[in-house]
mmCIF file of all heavy atoms in Angstrom:
data_model
loop_
_atom_site.group_PDB
_atom_site.id
_atom_site.type_symbol
_atom_site.label_atom_id
_atom_site.label_comp_id
_atom_site.label_asym_id
_atom_site.label_seq_id
_atom_site.Cartn_x
_atom_site.Cartn_y
_atom_site.Cartn_z
ATOM 1 N N ALA A 193 -20.104 -1.797 10.666
ATOM 2 C CA ALA A 193 -19.801 -2.004 9.253
ATOM 3 C C ALA A 193 -20.269 -0.807 8.435
ATOM 4 O O ALA A 193 -21.427 -0.394 8.538
ATOM 5 C CB ALA A 193 -20.463 -3.279 8.747
ATOM 6 N N LEU A 194 -19.361 -0.234 7.659
ATOM 7 C CA LEU A 194 -19.730 0.884 6.804
ATOM 8 C C LEU A 194 -20.580 0.385 5.636
ATOM 9 O O LEU A 194 -20.423 -0.730 5.167
ATOM 10 C CB LEU A 194 -18.474 1.564 6.275
ATOM 11 C CG LEU A 194 -17.500 2.118 7.329
ATOM 12 C CD1 LEU A 194 -16.291 2.741 6.641
ATOM 13 C CD2 LEU A 194 -18.188 3.129 8.228
ATOM 14 N N ARG A 195 -21.476 1.239 5.151
ATOM 15 C CA ARG A 195 -22.386 0.855 4.074
ATOM 16 C C ARG A 195 -22.124 1.628 2.782
ATOM 17 O O ARG A 195 -22.470 1.164 1.712
ATOM 18 C CB ARG A 195 -23.840 1.094 4.515
ATOM 19 C CG ARG A 195 -24.232 0.315 5.760
ATOM 20 C CD ARG A 195 -24.156 -1.181 5.520
ATOM 21 N NE ARG A 195 -24.511 -1.930 6.723
ATOM 22 C CZ ARG A 195 -24.388 -3.239 6.852
ATOM 23 N NH1 ARG A 195 -23.901 -3.946 5.846
ATOM 24 N NH2 ARG A 195 -24.724 -3.843 7.967
ATOM 25 N N GLU A 196 -21.524 2.798 2.888
ATOM 26 C CA GLU A 196 -21.358 3.656 1.715
ATOM 27 C C GLU A 196 -19.903 4.098 1.597
ATOM 28 O O GLU A 196 -19.323 4.620 2.553
ATOM 29 C CB GLU A 196 -22.256 4.887 1.835
ATOM 30 C CG GLU A 196 -22.115 5.874 0.686
ATOM 31 C CD GLU A 196 -22.884 7.158 0.925
ATOM 32 O OE1 GLU A 196 -23.617 7.248 1.939
ATOM 33 O OE2 GLU A 196 -22.736 8.092 0.107
ATOM 34 N N TRP A 197 -19.303 3.887 0.404
ATOM 35 C CA TRP A 197 -17.924 4.314 0.209
ATOM 36 C C TRP A 197 -17.857 5.850 0.197
ATOM 37 O O TRP A 197 -18.621 6.513 -0.505
ATOM 38 C CB TRP A 197 -17.360 3.760 -1.098
ATOM 39 C CG TRP A 197 -15.864 3.814 -1.143
ATOM 40 C CD1 TRP A 197 -15.003 2.823 -0.775
ATOM 41 C CD2 TRP A 197 -15.064 4.928 -1.530
ATOM 42 N NE1 TRP A 197 -13.711 3.260 -0.911
ATOM 43 C CE2 TRP A 197 -13.712 4.554 -1.375
ATOM 44 C CE3 TRP A 197 -15.350 6.207 -1.987
ATOM 45 C CZ2 TRP A 197 -12.653 5.391 -1.666
ATOM 46 C CZ3 TRP A 197 -14.294 7.060 -2.272
ATOM 47 C CH2 TRP A 197 -12.970 6.656 -2.116
ATOM 48 N N GLY A 198 -16.930 6.425 0.987
ATOM 49 C CA GLY A 198 -16.719 7.865 0.998
ATOM 50 C C GLY A 198 -17.862 8.664 1.588
ATOM 51 O O GLY A 198 -18.019 9.852 1.267
ATOM 52 N N ALA A 199 -18.642 8.069 2.469
ATOM 53 C CA ALA A 199 -19.802 8.753 3.042
ATOM 54 C C ALA A 199 -19.386 10.034 3.759
ATOM 55 O O ALA A 199 -18.331 10.094 4.415
ATOM 56 C CB ALA A 199 -20.529 7.830 4.020
ATOM 57 N N ALA A 200 -20.213 11.053 3.642
ATOM 58 C CA ALA A 200 -19.891 12.358 4.224
ATOM 59 C C ALA A 200 -19.686 12.271 5.728
ATOM 60 O O ALA A 200 -18.856 12.988 6.294
ATOM 61 C CB ALA A 200 -21.003 13.352 3.897
ATOM 62 N N ASP A 201 -20.434 11.410 6.402
ATOM 63 C CA ASP A 201 -20.316 11.287 7.854
ATOM 64 C C ASP A 201 -19.464 10.087 8.266
ATOM 65 O O ASP A 201 -19.454 9.692 9.427
ATOM 66 C CB ASP A 201 -21.700 11.190 8.495
ATOM 67 C CG ASP A 201 -22.489 9.977 8.000
ATOM 68 O OD1 ASP A 201 -22.038 9.337 7.019
ATOM 69 O OD2 ASP A 201 -23.540 9.672 8.588
ATOM 70 N N GLY A 202 -18.738 9.511 7.314
ATOM 71 C CA GLY A 202 -17.895 8.362 7.609
ATOM 72 C C GLY A 202 -16.496 8.769 8.033
ATOM 73 O O GLY A 202 -16.165 9.959 8.119
ATOM 74 N N PRO A 203 -15.628 7.793 8.307
ATOM 75 C CA PRO A 203 -14.236 8.087 8.662
ATOM 76 C C PRO A 203 -13.523 8.856 7.550
ATOM 77 O O PRO A 203 -13.970 8.879 6.398
ATOM 78 C CB PRO A 203 -13.623 6.691 8.848
ATOM 79 C CG PRO A 203 -14.770 5.780 9.113
ATOM 80 C CD PRO A 203 -15.917 6.345 8.327
ATOM 81 N N ILE A 204 -12.391 9.435 7.888
ATOM 82 C CA ILE A 204 -11.678 10.290 6.938
ATOM 83 C C ILE A 204 -10.966 9.511 5.836
ATOM 84 O O ILE A 204 -10.586 10.079 4.819
ATOM 85 C CB ILE A 204 -10.624 11.162 7.655
ATOM 86 C CG1 ILE A 204 -9.470 10.275 8.169
ATOM 87 C CG2 ILE A 204 -11.248 11.970 8.768
ATOM 88 C CD1 ILE A 204 -8.228 11.055 8.529
ATOM 89 N N TYR A 205 -10.762 8.213 6.019
ATOM 90 C CA TYR A 205 -9.758 7.504 5.248
ATOM 91 C C TYR A 205 -10.044 7.468 3.748
ATOM 92 O O TYR A 205 -9.138 7.660 2.932
ATOM 93 C CB TYR A 205 -9.585 6.095 5.817
ATOM 94 C CG TYR A 205 -9.230 6.126 7.270
ATOM 95 C CD1 TYR A 205 -10.133 5.704 8.246
ATOM 96 C CD2 TYR A 205 -8.000 6.633 7.692
ATOM 97 C CE1 TYR A 205 -9.814 5.760 9.595
ATOM 98 C CE2 TYR A 205 -7.671 6.700 9.032
ATOM 99 C CZ TYR A 205 -8.583 6.269 9.981
ATOM 100 O OH TYR A 205 -8.265 6.346 11.305
ATOM 101 N N GLU A 206 -11.264 7.197 3.363
ATOM 102 C CA GLU A 206 -11.555 7.130 1.932
ATOM 103 C C GLU A 206 -11.486 8.516 1.290
ATOM 104 O O GLU A 206 -11.106 8.654 0.127
ATOM 105 C CB GLU A 206 -12.922 6.476 1.729
ATOM 106 C CG GLU A 206 -12.852 5.004 2.090
ATOM 107 C CD GLU A 206 -14.181 4.321 2.275
ATOM 108 O OE1 GLU A 206 -15.220 5.008 2.268
ATOM 109 O OE2 GLU A 206 -14.183 3.085 2.428
ATOM 110 N N LYS A 207 -11.812 9.538 2.051
ATOM 111 C CA LYS A 207 -11.659 10.904 1.543
ATOM 112 C C LYS A 207 -10.177 11.234 1.365
ATOM 113 O O LYS A 207 -9.783 11.918 0.408
ATOM 114 C CB LYS A 207 -12.321 11.890 2.499
ATOM 115 C CG LYS A 207 -13.795 11.579 2.760
ATOM 116 C CD LYS A 207 -14.339 12.481 3.850
ATOM 117 C CE LYS A 207 -15.744 12.084 4.273
ATOM 118 N NZ LYS A 207 -15.782 10.793 4.995
ATOM 119 N N ALA A 208 -9.342 10.736 2.289
ATOM 120 C CA ALA A 208 -7.902 10.968 2.173
ATOM 121 C C ALA A 208 -7.335 10.299 0.927
ATOM 122 O O ALA A 208 -6.428 10.838 0.283
ATOM 123 C CB ALA A 208 -7.182 10.463 3.421
ATOM 124 N N MET A 209 -7.855 9.132 0.557
ATOM 125 C CA MET A 209 -7.414 8.485 -0.684
ATOM 126 C C MET A 209 -7.615 9.429 -1.862
ATOM 127 O O MET A 209 -6.730 9.578 -2.722
ATOM 128 C CB MET A 209 -8.215 7.205 -0.940
ATOM 129 C CG MET A 209 -8.053 6.097 0.054
ATOM 130 S SD MET A 209 -9.121 4.708 -0.451
ATOM 131 C CE MET A 209 -9.130 3.737 1.050
ATOM 132 N N GLN A 210 -8.786 10.047 -1.918
ATOM 133 C CA GLN A 210 -9.085 10.952 -3.026
ATOM 134 C C GLN A 210 -8.158 12.160 -3.012
ATOM 135 O O GLN A 210 -7.706 12.613 -4.068
ATOM 136 C CB GLN A 210 -10.544 11.388 -2.944
ATOM 137 C CG GLN A 210 -11.522 10.244 -3.167
ATOM 138 C CD GLN A 210 -12.964 10.691 -3.035
ATOM 139 O OE1 GLN A 210 -13.436 11.005 -1.952
ATOM 140 N NE2 GLN A 210 -13.664 10.740 -4.158
ATOM 141 N N CYS A 211 -7.871 12.669 -1.832
ATOM 142 C CA CYS A 211 -6.961 13.817 -1.735
ATOM 143 C C CYS A 211 -5.572 13.463 -2.221
ATOM 144 O O CYS A 211 -4.954 14.219 -2.970
ATOM 145 C CB CYS A 211 -6.900 14.316 -0.291
ATOM 146 S SG CYS A 211 -8.378 15.159 0.274
ATOM 147 N N ARG A 212 -5.042 12.291 -1.799
ATOM 148 C CA ARG A 212 -3.679 11.918 -2.189
ATOM 149 C C ARG A 212 -3.552 11.828 -3.708
ATOM 150 O O ARG A 212 -2.504 12.170 -4.263
ATOM 151 C CB ARG A 212 -3.288 10.588 -1.553
ATOM 152 C CG ARG A 212 -3.210 10.523 -0.037
ATOM 153 C CD ARG A 212 -2.186 11.480 0.550
ATOM 154 N NE ARG A 212 -2.790 12.762 0.801
ATOM 155 C CZ ARG A 212 -3.508 13.063 1.891
ATOM 156 N NH1 ARG A 212 -3.709 12.147 2.818
ATOM 157 N NH2 ARG A 212 -4.005 14.275 2.055
ATOM 158 N N ALA A 213 -4.592 11.344 -4.375
ATOM 159 C CA ALA A 213 -4.545 11.252 -5.836
ATOM 160 C C ALA A 213 -4.656 12.625 -6.480
ATOM 161 O O ALA A 213 -3.825 13.012 -7.315
ATOM 162 C CB ALA A 213 -5.665 10.339 -6.331
ATOM 163 N N ALA A 214 -5.685 13.381 -6.085
ATOM 164 C CA ALA A 214 -5.977 14.646 -6.767
ATOM 165 C C ALA A 214 -4.913 15.703 -6.520
ATOM 166 O O ALA A 214 -4.577 16.483 -7.409
ATOM 167 C CB ALA A 214 -7.344 15.166 -6.325
ATOM 168 N N GLU A 215 -4.351 15.755 -5.297
ATOM 169 C CA GLU A 215 -3.380 16.805 -5.004
ATOM 170 C C GLU A 215 -2.051 16.574 -5.714
ATOM 171 O O GLU A 215 -1.218 17.479 -5.793
ATOM 172 C CB GLU A 215 -3.180 16.922 -3.491
ATOM 173 C CG GLU A 215 -2.514 15.723 -2.845
ATOM 174 C CD GLU A 215 -2.784 15.630 -1.352
ATOM 175 O OE1 GLU A 215 -3.578 16.447 -0.836
ATOM 176 O OE2 GLU A 215 -2.235 14.722 -0.689
ATOM 177 N N ASN A 216 -1.862 15.355 -6.236
ATOM 178 C CA ASN A 216 -0.630 15.020 -6.958
ATOM 179 C C ASN A 216 -0.855 14.671 -8.424
ATOM 180 O O ASN A 216 0.101 14.463 -9.162
ATOM 181 C CB ASN A 216 0.066 13.842 -6.279
ATOM 182 C CG ASN A 216 0.582 14.199 -4.905
ATOM 183 O OD1 ASN A 216 1.477 15.023 -4.767
ATOM 184 N ND2 ASN A 216 -0.003 13.599 -3.863
ATOM 185 N N THR A 217 -2.110 14.584 -8.856
ATOM 186 C CA THR A 217 -2.503 14.150 -10.205
ATOM 187 C C THR A 217 -1.816 12.838 -10.608
ATOM 188 O O THR A 217 -1.222 12.722 -11.672
ATOM 189 C CB THR A 217 -2.273 15.249 -11.268
ATOM 190 O OG1 THR A 217 -0.960 15.822 -11.127
ATOM 191 C CG2 THR A 217 -3.311 16.336 -11.162
ATOM 192 N N VAL A 218 -1.933 11.843 -9.702
ATOM 193 C CA VAL A 218 -1.457 10.489 -9.964
ATOM 194 C C VAL A 218 -2.530 9.509 -9.511
ATOM 195 O O VAL A 218 -3.450 9.855 -8.778
ATOM 196 C CB VAL A 218 -0.132 10.176 -9.232
ATOM 197 C CG1 VAL A 218 0.994 11.078 -9.722
ATOM 198 C CG2 VAL A 218 -0.290 10.284 -7.713
ATOM 199 N N TRP A 219 -2.403 8.270 -9.954
ATOM 200 C CA TRP A 219 -3.272 7.211 -9.476
ATOM 201 C C TRP A 219 -2.897 6.832 -8.045
ATOM 202 O O TRP A 219 -1.718 6.849 -7.691
ATOM 203 C CB TRP A 219 -3.159 5.979 -10.372
ATOM 204 C CG TRP A 219 -3.741 6.160 -11.735
ATOM 205 C CD1 TRP A 219 -3.079 6.550 -12.870
ATOM 206 C CD2 TRP A 219 -5.100 5.961 -12.116
ATOM 207 N NE1 TRP A 219 -3.944 6.612 -13.934
ATOM 208 C CE2 TRP A 219 -5.202 6.254 -13.496
ATOM 209 C CE3 TRP A 219 -6.255 5.571 -11.435
ATOM 210 C CZ2 TRP A 219 -6.400 6.156 -14.200
ATOM 211 C CZ3 TRP A 219 -7.448 5.473 -12.140
ATOM 212 C CH2 TRP A 219 -7.513 5.765 -13.501
ATOM 213 N N PHE A 220 -3.902 6.484 -7.246
ATOM 214 C CA PHE A 220 -3.682 6.066 -5.865
ATOM 215 C C PHE A 220 -4.529 4.821 -5.627
ATOM 216 O O PHE A 220 -5.737 4.831 -5.869
ATOM 217 C CB PHE A 220 -4.090 7.181 -4.902
ATOM 218 C CG PHE A 220 -3.712 6.948 -3.459
ATOM 219 C CD1 PHE A 220 -2.427 7.248 -3.015
ATOM 220 C CD2 PHE A 220 -4.635 6.451 -2.552
ATOM 221 C CE1 PHE A 220 -2.075 7.050 -1.686
ATOM 222 C CE2 PHE A 220 -4.290 6.261 -1.228
ATOM 223 C CZ PHE A 220 -3.008 6.564 -0.784
ATOM 224 N N ALA A 221 -3.891 3.741 -5.192
ATOM 225 C CA ALA A 221 -4.594 2.475 -4.978
ATOM 226 C C ALA A 221 -4.346 2.005 -3.553
ATOM 227 O O ALA A 221 -3.205 1.744 -3.165
ATOM 228 C CB ALA A 221 -4.112 1.430 -5.975
ATOM 229 N N SER A 222 -5.414 1.913 -2.777
ATOM 230 C CA SER A 222 -5.321 1.601 -1.358
ATOM 231 C C SER A 222 -5.986 0.266 -1.080
ATOM 232 O O SER A 222 -7.109 0.023 -1.535
ATOM 233 C CB SER A 222 -6.011 2.723 -0.554
ATOM 234 O OG SER A 222 -5.792 2.568 0.822
ATOM 235 N N VAL A 223 -5.301 -0.613 -0.337
ATOM 236 C CA VAL A 223 -5.833 -1.955 -0.116
ATOM 237 C C VAL A 223 -5.796 -2.320 1.368
ATOM 238 O O VAL A 223 -4.786 -2.159 2.047
ATOM 239 C CB VAL A 223 -5.079 -3.003 -0.964
ATOM 240 C CG1 VAL A 223 -3.575 -3.007 -0.682
ATOM 241 C CG2 VAL A 223 -5.674 -4.387 -0.784
ATOM 242 N N ASN A 224 -6.941 -2.804 1.855
ATOM 243 C CA ASN A 224 -7.133 -3.171 3.250
ATOM 244 C C ASN A 224 -7.353 -4.682 3.344
ATOM 245 O O ASN A 224 -7.679 -5.342 2.345
ATOM 246 C CB ASN A 224 -8.364 -2.422 3.794
ATOM 247 C CG ASN A 224 -8.474 -2.448 5.311
ATOM 248 O OD1 ASN A 224 -7.589 -2.956 6.004
ATOM 249 N ND2 ASN A 224 -9.563 -1.909 5.822
ATOM 250 N N VAL A 225 -7.214 -5.223 4.536
ATOM 251 C CA VAL A 225 -7.564 -6.620 4.781
ATOM 252 C C VAL A 225 -9.087 -6.766 4.654
ATOM 253 O O VAL A 225 -9.836 -5.813 4.895
ATOM 254 C CB VAL A 225 -7.091 -7.043 6.184
ATOM 255 C CG1 VAL A 225 -7.476 -8.487 6.481
ATOM 256 C CG2 VAL A 225 -5.573 -6.881 6.301
ATOM 257 N N GLY A 226 -9.552 -7.965 4.288
ATOM 258 C CA GLY A 226 -10.990 -8.211 4.188
ATOM 259 C C GLY A 226 -11.596 -8.426 5.556
ATOM 260 O O GLY A 226 -11.847 -9.568 5.975
ATOM 261 N N LEU A 227 -11.854 -7.331 6.272
ATOM 262 C CA LEU A 227 -12.327 -7.380 7.648
ATOM 263 C C LEU A 227 -13.848 -7.342 7.728
ATOM 264 O O LEU A 227 -14.517 -6.819 6.839
ATOM 265 C CB LEU A 227 -11.753 -6.196 8.438
ATOM 266 C CG LEU A 227 -10.231 -6.127 8.518
ATOM 267 C CD1 LEU A 227 -9.789 -4.772 9.055
ATOM 268 C CD2 LEU A 227 -9.689 -7.253 9.399
ATOM 269 N N ARG A 228 -14.378 -7.826 8.852
ATOM 270 C CA ARG A 228 -15.830 -7.737 9.070
ATOM 271 C C ARG A 228 -16.262 -6.289 9.311
ATOM 272 O O ARG A 228 -17.352 -5.879 8.914
ATOM 273 C CB ARG A 228 -16.228 -8.591 10.274
ATOM 274 C CG ARG A 228 -16.100 -10.090 10.075
ATOM 275 C CD ARG A 228 -16.675 -10.840 11.262
ATOM 276 N NE ARG A 228 -16.595 -12.282 11.097
ATOM 277 C CZ ARG A 228 -15.580 -13.028 11.531
ATOM 278 N NH1 ARG A 228 -14.556 -12.450 12.147
ATOM 279 N NH2 ARG A 228 -15.579 -14.326 11.341
ATOM 280 N N TYR A 229 -15.413 -5.540 9.998
ATOM 281 C CA TYR A 229 -15.769 -4.165 10.360
ATOM 282 C C TYR A 229 -14.642 -3.241 9.871
ATOM 283 O O TYR A 229 -13.736 -2.881 10.616
ATOM 284 C CB TYR A 229 -15.958 -4.033 11.870
ATOM 285 C CG TYR A 229 -16.936 -5.045 12.435
ATOM 286 C CD1 TYR A 229 -16.468 -6.188 13.082
ATOM 287 C CD2 TYR A 229 -18.299 -4.878 12.263
ATOM 288 C CE1 TYR A 229 -17.361 -7.130 13.583
ATOM 289 C CE2 TYR A 229 -19.202 -5.816 12.758
ATOM 290 C CZ TYR A 229 -18.720 -6.938 13.418
ATOM 291 O OH TYR A 229 -19.602 -7.872 13.900
ATOM 292 N N SER A 230 -14.715 -2.883 8.610
ATOM 293 C CA SER A 230 -13.655 -2.108 7.972
ATOM 294 C C SER A 230 -13.871 -0.619 8.165
ATOM 295 O O SER A 230 -15.007 -0.129 8.111
ATOM 296 C CB SER A 230 -13.622 -2.439 6.481
ATOM 297 O OG SER A 230 -12.791 -1.546 5.788
ATOM 298 N N LEU A 231 -12.772 0.113 8.356
ATOM 299 C CA LEU A 231 -12.821 1.571 8.407
ATOM 300 C C LEU A 231 -12.541 2.198 7.051
ATOM 301 O O LEU A 231 -12.683 3.412 6.887
ATOM 302 C CB LEU A 231 -11.799 2.097 9.421
ATOM 303 C CG LEU A 231 -12.089 1.807 10.894
ATOM 304 C CD1 LEU A 231 -10.921 2.267 11.751
ATOM 305 C CD2 LEU A 231 -13.391 2.464 11.338
ATOM 306 N N SER A 232 -12.138 1.377 6.088
ATOM 307 C CA SER A 232 -11.750 1.907 4.773
ATOM 308 C C SER A 232 -11.756 0.770 3.765
ATOM 309 O O SER A 232 -11.091 -0.237 3.966
ATOM 310 C CB SER A 232 -10.368 2.547 4.841
ATOM 311 O OG SER A 232 -9.461 1.718 5.542
ATOM 312 N N GLY A 233 -12.506 0.953 2.692
ATOM 313 C CA GLY A 233 -12.573 -0.082 1.671
ATOM 314 C C GLY A 233 -11.446 0.042 0.665
ATOM 315 O O GLY A 233 -10.988 1.143 0.345
ATOM 316 N N SER A 234 -10.985 -1.074 0.159
ATOM 317 C CA SER A 234 -9.956 -1.072 -0.874
ATOM 318 C C SER A 234 -10.499 -0.372 -2.116
ATOM 319 O O SER A 234 -11.636 -0.614 -2.518
ATOM 320 C CB SER A 234 -9.542 -2.492 -1.216
ATOM 321 O OG SER A 234 -9.056 -3.157 -0.061
#
Side-chain angles (χ1 to χ4, degrees):
L194 301 179
R195 301 297 179 188
E196 178 187 354
W197 197 93
D201 60 349
I204 69 164
Y205 303 110
E206 290 165 352
K207 304 173 188 69
M209 296 179 195
Q210 294 178 290
C211 288
R212 296 299 89 83
E215 67 201 5
N216 293 295
T217 47
V218 297
W219 291 94
F220 189 83
S222 188
V223 57
N224 194 5
V225 179
L227 300 168
R228 291 187 179 92
Y229 307 101
S230 169
L231 291 174
S232 46
S234 301

